[in-house]
Amino acid sequence: MSQTKLHFVKTITTHRRLRRNRIKDWIRRLIREHRLSVDDLILPLFIIDGVGIEEPIPSMPGISRYSIDKALEVVYQAADLNIPAVTPFPNISLELKDEKGSEVTNPDNLICRFTSKVKNLNLNIGIITDAALDPFTNHGHDGILRNGIIVNDESVKQIVKGAVIQAQAGADIIAPSDMMDGRIGAIRKALDANGFQNVGIISYAAKYASAFYGPYRQAIGTEGLLQGDKKTYYIDPANTEDAMREAKLDIEEGADMLMVKPGMPYLDIVWRMKSTFHMPVSVYQVSGEYVMIKNITENRFIDENSAMLESLIAFKRAGADNIFTYFALKAARLLYQEDR
Ligand code: PBG
């Protein structure tokens, strides 16, 4: 390239001022590519037995476990804010836990009681339930543990029973978080056989063996129980292709949506999954991600609301259609303020 030509190119470059589109709030709004809306949010709730209980969870500042009556008040708030769905996680007493997580098959268990109560409120809000065994086993694993091994097919049978009774209680979507092989197809088959053709499945397709689940385990009371780790069934954080294979199988087996979990360390997976399969993709901003933002903002190094919204818009930019987040209520309130 000659000297003159180079000079010409440089001149053109200085005329390209990208900052013109950033100069005022109104123009930034005009060129904004992604938006976070209340419609994107799914609220996880921790449920315990009892009445009138709202018990702060030490590992998750700002988050409590609720007895069903109290949890229903939160569901009303969520519905008022137009949050599309809630997803309950139970903290059951130790006496109810066993090797096989049998309580998951009890039609009167905490999740089912909560679900049918929400259903009876007739609100415009969806209920997404998890049929994994970990809240119900005395060893904290998502499947049945035998001789140090999580036995796959027997676990699937148990999870399927849980899914069907959750549907009977009124769950709109089953979101099994256990990563057992074949569970999506088995759940689909059982739901259909029992007349629940309209109950959907969100497959936790890309669930990683992550350190970021720690605070959640205290929330549901499994932190002292878990024997070993979950690496024989969750995906290795070093892998992308394994997640893609899992998602492909889950789609073939009948998944209606795919999930990536955790969220922020796995934005590349969200992007890849969305751009490959063109399916609705959920992302789970897990307890550890929540706590990281909370802790650093409590130390006043970072503005909490800004950090929260930035973390949530990152999911949208990566291609997520909806977000499971403990910030759902807070984010929804903030979004309404910003609308005004
Ligand atoms: C297990 C399950 C996990 C979470 C929800 N269900 C992971 C685990 O405990 O291993 C994590 C949610 C969170 O960290 O917010 N089926």
Coordinates of all heavy atoms in Angstrom, one line a residue, residues 31-78:
I31 N -30.2 2.7 20.0 CA -29.3 1.7 19.4 C -29.1 0.4 20.2 O -28.3 -0.5 19.9 CB -27.9 2.2 19.0 CG1 -27.1 2.6 20.2 CG2 -28.1 3.4 18.0 CD1 -25.6 2.4 19.9
R32 N -29.8 0.3 21.3 CA -29.7 -0.8 22.2 C -30.1 -2.1 21.6 O -31.2 -2.2 21.0 CB -30.5 -0.6 23.5 CG -30.2 -1.6 24.6 CD -30.5 -1.0 26.0 NE -29.6 0.1 26.3 CZ -29.9 1.1 27.1 NH1 -31.1 1.3 27.7 NH2 -29.0 2.1 27.4
E33 N -29.3 -3.1 21.6 CA -29.5 -4.4 20.9 C -30.3 -5.4 21.7 O -31.0 -6.2 21.2 CB -28.2 -5.0 20.5 CG -27.4 -4.1 19.5 CD -26.0 -4.6 19.3 OE1 -25.8 -5.8 19.2 OE2 -25.1 -3.8 19.4
H34 N -30.1 -5.4 23.0 CA -30.7 -6.4 23.8 C -31.4 -5.8 25.0 O -30.9 -4.7 25.5 CB -29.7 -7.4 24.3 CG -29.0 -8.2 23.2 ND1 -29.7 -9.2 22.6 CD2 -27.9 -8.0 22.6 CE1 -28.9 -9.7 21.6 NE2 -27.8 -8.9 21.6
R35 N -32.5 -6.3 25.4 CA -33.2 -5.8 26.5 C -33.6 -6.8 27.5 O -33.9 -8.0 27.2 CB -34.5 -5.1 26.0 CG -34.3 -3.7 25.6 CD -35.5 -3.2 24.8 NE -35.0 -2.4 23.7 CZ -34.6 -1.2 23.8 NH1 -34.6 -0.5 24.9 NH2 -34.1 -0.6 22.7
L36 N -33.5 -6.4 28.8 CA -33.9 -7.3 29.9 C -35.4 -6.9 30.2 O -35.6 -5.7 30.4 CB -33.0 -7.2 31.1 CG -33.4 -8.0 32.3 CD1 -33.1 -9.5 32.0 CD2 -32.6 -7.6 33.5
S37 N -36.2 -7.9 30.3 CA -37.6 -7.6 30.7 C -38.0 -8.5 31.8 O -37.4 -9.6 32.0 CB -38.5 -7.7 29.4 OG -39.5 -8.6 29.6
V38 N -39.1 -8.1 32.5 CA -39.6 -9.0 33.6 C -40.0 -10.3 33.0 O -39.9 -11.3 33.6 CB -40.8 -8.3 34.2 CG1 -41.5 -9.2 35.2 CG2 -40.3 -7.0 35.0
D39 N -40.4 -10.3 31.7 CA -40.8 -11.6 31.0 C -39.6 -12.6 31.0 O -39.9 -13.8 30.6 CB -41.3 -11.3 29.6 CG -42.5 -10.5 29.6 OD1 -43.3 -10.5 30.6 OD2 -42.8 -9.8 28.6
D40 N -38.4 -12.2 31.2 CA -37.3 -13.1 31.1 C -37.0 -13.8 32.4 O -36.1 -14.7 32.5 CB -36.0 -12.3 30.8 CG -36.1 -11.5 29.5 OD1 -36.6 -12.1 28.5 OD2 -35.6 -10.4 29.4
L41 N -37.7 -13.5 33.5 CA -37.3 -13.9 34.8 C -38.0 -15.1 35.4 O -39.3 -15.2 35.3 CB -37.3 -12.7 35.8 CG -36.6 -11.4 35.4 CD1 -36.9 -10.3 36.3 CD2 -35.1 -11.7 35.3
I42 N -37.3 -16.0 36.0 CA -37.9 -17.1 36.7 C -37.4 -17.1 38.2 O -36.1 -17.0 38.4 CB -37.6 -18.4 36.1 CG1 -38.2 -18.5 34.7 CG2 -38.0 -19.6 36.9 CD1 -37.7 -19.6 33.8
L43 N -38.3 -17.1 39.1 CA -37.9 -17.0 40.5 C -37.8 -18.3 41.3 O -38.8 -19.0 41.4 CB -38.9 -16.1 41.2 CG -38.8 -16.0 42.8 CD1 -37.6 -15.2 43.1 CD2 -40.1 -15.3 43.4
P44 N -36.6 -18.7 41.7 CA -36.5 -19.9 42.6 C -36.9 -19.6 44.0 O -36.6 -18.5 44.5 CB -35.0 -20.2 42.5 CG -34.4 -19.3 41.5 CD -35.3 -18.1 41.4
L45 N -37.6 -20.5 44.6 CA -38.0 -20.3 46.0 C -37.6 -21.5 46.9 O -37.8 -22.7 46.4 CB -39.6 -20.2 46.1 CG -40.1 -18.8 45.6 CD1 -41.7 -18.9 45.5 CD2 -39.7 -17.7 46.6
F46 N -37.2 -21.3 48.1 CA -36.8 -22.3 49.0 C -38.0 -22.5 50.0 O -38.4 -21.6 50.6 CB -35.5 -22.0 49.7 CG -34.3 -22.0 48.8 CD1 -33.7 -20.8 48.5 CD2 -33.9 -23.2 48.2 CE1 -32.7 -20.7 47.6 CE2 -32.8 -23.1 47.3 CZ -32.2 -21.9 47.0
I47 N -38.4 -23.8 50.0 CA -39.6 -24.1 50.8 C -39.3 -25.0 52.0 O -38.5 -26.0 51.8 CB -40.7 -24.8 50.0 CG1 -40.8 -24.2 48.6 CG2 -42.1 -24.9 50.7 CD1 -41.5 -22.8 48.5
I48 N -39.9 -24.7 53.2 CA -39.7 -25.7 54.3 C -41.1 -25.9 54.9 O -42.0 -25.2 54.7 CB -38.8 -25.1 55.4 CG1 -39.1 -23.7 55.8 CG2 -37.3 -25.2 55.1 CD1 -38.5 -23.2 57.1
D49 N -41.1 -27.0 55.7 CA -42.3 -27.3 56.4 C -42.6 -26.3 57.5 O -41.7 -25.6 58.0 CB -42.2 -28.7 57.1 CG -43.0 -29.8 56.2 OD1 -44.1 -29.5 55.8 OD2 -42.4 -30.8 56.0
G50 N -43.9 -26.3 58.0 CA -44.2 -25.4 59.1 C -45.2 -24.3 58.6 O -45.7 -24.3 57.5
V51 N -45.4 -23.4 59.6 CA -46.4 -22.3 59.3 C -45.7 -21.0 59.7 O -45.1 -20.9 60.8 CB -47.7 -22.5 60.0 CG1 -48.7 -21.3 59.8 CG2 -48.3 -23.8 59.6
G52 N -45.9 -19.9 58.9 CA -45.5 -18.6 59.3 C -44.0 -18.4 59.4 O -43.5 -17.6 60.0
I53 N -43.3 -19.3 58.6 CA -41.8 -19.2 58.7 C -41.2 -18.5 57.5 O -41.5 -18.7 56.4 CB -41.2 -20.7 58.8 CG1 -41.8 -21.4 60.0 CG2 -39.7 -20.6 58.8 CD1 -41.4 -22.8 60.1
E54 N -40.3 -17.5 57.9 CA -39.4 -16.9 56.9 C -38.1 -16.9 57.5 O -37.8 -16.1 58.4 CB -39.9 -15.5 56.6 CG -39.0 -14.9 55.6 CD -39.4 -13.4 55.2 OE1 -40.5 -13.0 55.5 OE2 -38.5 -12.7 54.6
E55 N -37.2 -17.8 57.1 CA -36.0 -18.1 57.7 C -34.8 -17.7 56.8 O -34.6 -18.3 55.8 CB -36.0 -19.6 58.0 CG -34.8 -20.2 58.7 CD -35.2 -21.7 58.8 OE1 -35.9 -22.1 59.8 OE2 -34.7 -22.5 58.0
P56 N -34.1 -16.6 57.2 CA -32.9 -16.2 56.3 C -31.9 -17.4 56.2 O -31.7 -18.1 57.1 CB -32.3 -15.1 57.1 CG -33.4 -14.6 58.0 CD -34.2 -15.8 58.4
I57 N -31.4 -17.5 55.0 CA -30.4 -18.6 54.7 C -29.0 -18.0 54.8 O -28.6 -17.0 54.1 CB -30.6 -19.1 53.2 CG1 -32.0 -19.7 53.1 CG2 -29.6 -20.1 52.9 CD1 -32.5 -19.9 51.7
P58 N -28.2 -18.5 55.8 CA -26.9 -17.8 56.1 C -26.0 -17.8 54.8 O -25.3 -16.8 54.6 CB -26.3 -18.7 57.1 CG -27.5 -19.4 57.8 CD -28.5 -19.6 56.7
S59 N -26.1 -18.8 54.0 CA -25.1 -18.8 52.8 C -25.6 -17.9 51.7 O -24.8 -17.6 50.8 CB -25.0 -20.2 52.3 OG -26.3 -20.7 51.9
M60 N -26.9 -17.4 51.8 CA -27.4 -16.6 50.7 C -28.0 -15.3 51.2 O -29.2 -15.2 51.4 CB -28.4 -17.4 49.9 CG -27.8 -18.6 49.2 SD -29.0 -19.5 48.2 CE -29.3 -18.4 46.8
P61 N -27.2 -14.3 51.5 CA -27.7 -13.0 52.0 C -28.9 -12.5 51.2 O -28.9 -12.4 50.0 CB -26.6 -12.1 52.0 CG -25.4 -12.8 51.3 CD -25.8 -14.2 51.2
G62 N -30.0 -12.2 51.9 CA -31.2 -11.6 51.3 C -32.2 -12.6 50.8 O -33.2 -12.3 50.3
I63 N -31.8 -13.9 51.0 CA -32.7 -15.0 50.5 C -33.2 -15.8 51.7 O -32.4 -16.1 52.6 CB -32.1 -15.9 49.5 CG1 -31.5 -15.1 48.3 CG2 -33.0 -17.0 49.0 CD1 -32.5 -14.4 47.4
S64 N -34.5 -16.2 51.8 CA -35.0 -16.9 52.9 C -35.6 -18.2 52.4 O -36.0 -18.4 51.3 CB -36.1 -16.1 53.6 OG -35.5 -15.0 54.2
R65 N -35.8 -19.1 53.4 CA -36.6 -20.3 53.2 C -38.0 -19.9 53.8 O -38.1 -19.3 54.8 CB -36.2 -21.5 54.0 CG -34.8 -21.9 53.7 CD -34.4 -23.2 54.6 NE -33.0 -23.4 54.5 CZ -32.1 -23.1 55.5 NH1 -32.5 -22.7 56.6 NH2 -30.8 -23.4 55.3
Y66 N -39.0 -20.3 53.0 CA -40.4 -20.0 53.5 C -41.2 -21.2 53.7 O -41.2 -22.2 52.9 CB -41.1 -19.2 52.4 CG -40.5 -17.9 52.0 CD1 -39.6 -17.8 51.0 CD2 -40.7 -16.7 52.8 CE1 -39.0 -16.5 50.6 CE2 -40.1 -15.5 52.5 CZ -39.2 -15.4 51.4 OH -38.7 -14.2 51.1
S67 N -42.1 -21.2 54.7 CA -43.1 -22.2 54.8 C -44.1 -21.9 53.7 O -44.2 -20.8 53.2 CB -43.8 -22.2 56.2 OG -44.2 -20.9 56.5
I68 N -45.0 -22.9 53.4 CA -45.8 -22.8 52.2 C -46.7 -21.5 52.3 O -46.8 -20.7 51.3 CB -46.7 -24.0 52.0 CG1 -45.8 -25.2 51.6 CG2 -47.8 -23.8 51.0 CD1 -46.5 -26.5 51.4
D69 N -47.3 -21.2 53.4 CA -48.2 -20.0 53.5 C -47.4 -18.8 53.2 O -47.9 -17.9 52.5 CB -48.8 -19.9 54.9 CG -47.8 -19.9 56.0 OD1 -46.7 -20.6 55.9 OD2 -47.9 -19.2 57.0
K70 N -46.2 -18.7 53.7 CA -45.4 -17.5 53.4 C -44.9 -17.4 52.0 O -44.8 -16.4 51.4 CB -44.1 -17.5 54.4 CG -44.5 -17.1 55.8 CD -44.6 -15.6 55.9 CE -44.9 -15.1 57.3 NZ -45.2 -13.7 57.3
A71 N -44.6 -18.6 51.5 CA -44.1 -18.7 50.1 C -45.2 -18.2 49.1 O -44.9 -17.6 48.1 CB -43.7 -20.1 49.8
L72 N -46.4 -18.5 49.5 CA -47.6 -18.1 48.6 C -47.6 -16.6 48.6 O -48.0 -16.0 47.5 CB -48.9 -18.7 49.1 CG -49.0 -20.2 49.0 CD1 -50.4 -20.7 49.5 CD2 -48.8 -20.8 47.6
E73 N -47.3 -15.9 49.7 CA -47.3 -14.5 49.7 C -46.2 -14.0 48.6 O -46.5 -13.0 47.9 CB -46.9 -13.9 51.0 CG -48.0 -14.1 52.1 CD -47.6 -13.7 53.5 OE1 -46.6 -13.0 53.6 OE2 -48.3 -14.1 54.4
V74 N -45.1 -14.7 48.6 CA -44.1 -14.3 47.6 C -44.5 -14.6 46.2 O -44.2 -13.8 45.3 CB -42.7 -15.0 47.9 CG1 -41.6 -14.5 47.0 CG2 -42.3 -14.8 49.4
V75 N -45.2 -15.7 46.1 CA -45.8 -16.0 44.7 C -46.7 -14.9 44.3 O -46.7 -14.5 43.1 CB -46.5 -17.4 44.7 CG1 -47.1 -17.6 43.3 CG2 -45.4 -18.5 45.0
Y76 N -47.6 -14.4 45.2 CA -48.5 -13.3 44.8 C -47.7 -12.1 44.4 O -48.0 -11.4 43.4 CB -49.3 -12.9 46.1 CG -50.6 -13.6 46.2 CD1 -50.9 -14.4 47.2 CD2 -51.6 -13.4 45.2 CE1 -52.2 -15.1 47.3 CE2 -52.9 -14.0 45.2 CZ -53.1 -14.9 46.3 OH -54.3 -15.5 46.4
Q77 N -46.6 -11.8 45.1 CA -45.7 -10.6 44.8 C -45.2 -10.8 43.4 O -45.2 -9.9 42.5 CB -44.6 -10.5 45.7 CG -44.9 -9.9 47.1 CD -43.7 -10.0 48.0 OE1 -42.5 -10.0 47.6 NE2 -44.0 -10.2 49.3
A78 N -44.7 -12.0 43.1 CA -44.1 -12.4 41.8 C -45.1 -12.2 40.7 O -44.9 -11.6 39.6 CB -43.5 -13.8 41.8

